[in-house]
Amino acid sequence: MTLPGMDISALEQFLRAQGVPVHGELRVELISGGRSNLTFAVADDVSRWVVRRPPVAGLTPSAHDMAREYTVTSALRKSAVPVAETIAFDATGSVLGAPMTVVEFVDGTVIRDQRDLAALTDDQVNSSARQLVRVLADLHAVDPASVGLEEFGRPHGFVARQVALWSSQWERVKTRELPDVATLHAALSEAVPRESAASIVHGDFRIDNTILDSDDPKTVRAVVDWELSTLGDPLTDVALMCVYRAPIFDKILGTDAAWTSPRLPAPDALAQIYATASGRDLDNWGFYLALANFKLGVIGEGITHRARQGSDTGSAADRAAEATPEFMAAGLRALKGSAQ
């Protein structure tokens, strides 16, 4: 069977050249793909690995940065944050036609949708969510310099750049005019808070970007999908995690996502768990919630834009923009609430 984006023979040669023992024939299975990076499970007669590379179409390098992912996971092996052991990295794309990372295969369970969540008891769901938030707090507590990541990003001006970035992205992907977008952008630009101390931010933190222990779901065995990580304001991570809880996020993913389930703690509860675990004040919280809503609204629009261009055929991609007006309205409400 042909797997788009994978060349098994070239991968085997690469692993051997990197000094990775290969015992027997490689067996490769696609774990996930679509809009995110392609993720393959690879096994020989002794070992198992995970290979990740960007999609074969619709490449946006900044959103599928394999070097970034490999750098941060290699560094975080020295920290309390659970990540997969890094094995090898092809920066040039000479093996699979695009940059590629190879990491250890972490046994466990990935909870992607509400059918997966149904396998857990209410106590397990609650405990897992609380532990996920604590892991995020642990990540933000890591001193970047202590793990060699002091040059991993440009934390100065990070939040202001995010506001500008997502506004410019809107102009590239919009499929119609929405007055709330300009209104929210202007309000965010005027309300950018004073910068907090920078930390390593994941950029896409929710339950389906982690691997949980199969026997003890409150144990996080690994945090995955680090291609959006950088140095920045930790509250952007927290707010995005909370806004992902909005039921309308299902429109963007094209599925009944586990993280939008009413069985998990409410967004405000997650934020409070984080504040307690991290010892951080959630200052200007309405601004961060508004920025997260702005970002997700633009992402939804972009998915539909790419679908109409023929480069995104994922589940319900043509309907993802239906979420955009709701996210923009929620962002305005968050800012209005914080001003009262």
Side-chain angles (χ1 to χ4, degrees):
M1 180 180 66
T2 300
L3 292 172
M6 171 55 64
D7 183 330
I8 298 176
S9 176
L11 175 62
E12 179 179 347
Q13 292 178 33
F14 172 75
L15 290 174
R16 293 185 184 279
Q18 294 296 307
V20 179
V22 177
H23 303 277
E25 184 179 352
L26 288 185
R27 300 176 294 280
V28 181
E29 176 185 359
L30 179 66
I31 299 176
S32 65
R35 299 174 199 133
S36 184
N37 285 323
L38 298 177
T39 304
F40 301 92
V42 179
D44 63 7
D45 295 339
V46 175
S47 303
R48 290 189 294 171
W49 308 278
V50 170
V51 171
R52 279 168 57 79
R53 54 146 294 162
V56 295
L59 292 181
T60 53
S62 63
H64 305 282
D65 193 334
M66 306 311 298
R68 180 169 299 277
E69 184 168 70
Y70 192 78
T71 298
V72 71
T73 51
S74 296
L76 287 174
R77 292 300 298 173
K78 308 169 188 175
S79 77
V81 181
V83 292
E85 183 74 50
T86 50
I87 304 298
F89 176 47
D90 171 28
T92 65
S94 60
V95 179
L96 300 182
M100 165 192 76
T101 63
V102 184
V103 302
E104 67 170 342
F105 185 96
V106 177
D107 278 311
T109 300
V110 178
I111 306 295
R112 291 190 174 89
D113 57 36
Q114 295 186 24
R115 291 171 298 178
D116 296 329
L117 199 67
L120 305 184
T121 68
D122 287 343
D123 285 345
Q124 288 175 325
V125 169
N126 187 61
S127 296
S128 296
R130 288 176 174 274
Q131 185 57 29
L132 284 167
V133 177
R134 294 187 187 104
V135 168
L136 186 60
D138 286 343
L139 171 65
H140 295 161
V142 174
D143 175 10
S146 72
V147 293
L149 292 178
E150 62 271 24
E151 302 296 328
F152 190 57
R154 295 185 296 137
H156 181 69
F158 174 77
V159 173
R161 288 199 308 275
Q162 285 286 296
V163 174
L165 169 67
W166 291 104
S167 176
S168 63
Q169 181 68 3
W170 169 259
E171 294 302 323
R172 287 192 289 271
V173 303
K174 64 182 179 182
T175 64
R176 65 297 181 52
E177 297 295 332
L178 288 177
D180 275 358
V181 176
T183 303
L184 181 54
H185 172 243
L188 286 168
S189 298
E190 293 176 0
V192 173
R194 184 169 58 88
E195 294 182 354
S196 59
S199 71
I200 304 165
V201 296
H202 181 272
D204 196 19
F205 194 84
R206 56 182 192 265
I207 195 170
D208 52 310
N209 283 336
T210 66
I211 300 172
L212 306 181
D213 189 282
S214 297
D215 297 322
D216 182 15
K218 71 176 181 294
T219 298
V220 181
R221 301 214 52 208
V223 179
V224 299
D225 290 5
W226 291 89
E227 63 264 30
L228 297 177
S229 58
T230 189
L231 297 186
D233 190 321
L235 293 189
T236 60
D237 247 0
V238 186
L240 189 60
M241 174 188 68
C242 291
V243 172
Y244 277 148
R245 291 281 291 110
I248 194 62
F249 185 53
D250 289 347
K251 286 281 188 184
I252 290 179
L253 294 182
T255 186
D256 293 329
W259 197 241
T260 64
S261 169
R263 296 181 63 201
L264 284 107
D268 287 348
L270 292 175
Q272 187 54 55
I273 294 167
Y274 175 85
T276 301
S278 66
R280 294 178 186 271
D281 293 326
L282 302 182
D283 293 335
N284 302 296
W285 185 234
F287 170 87
Y288 289 99
L289 289 176
L291 177 58
N293 276 284
F294 187 60
K295 175 179 178 177
L296 289 185
V298 176
I299 287 173
E301 192 81 5
I303 290 170
T304 294
H305 170 79
R306 288 189 295 277
R308 294 180 180 179
Q309 298 296 315
S311 63
D312 191 331
T313 58
S315 175
D318 60 332
R319 300 185 60 189
E322 293 177 13
T324 300
E326 293 198 35
F327 280 118
M328 296 301 169
L332 288 170
R333 288 195 299 271
L335 271 183
K336 183 179 179 180
S338 66
Q340 293 176 346

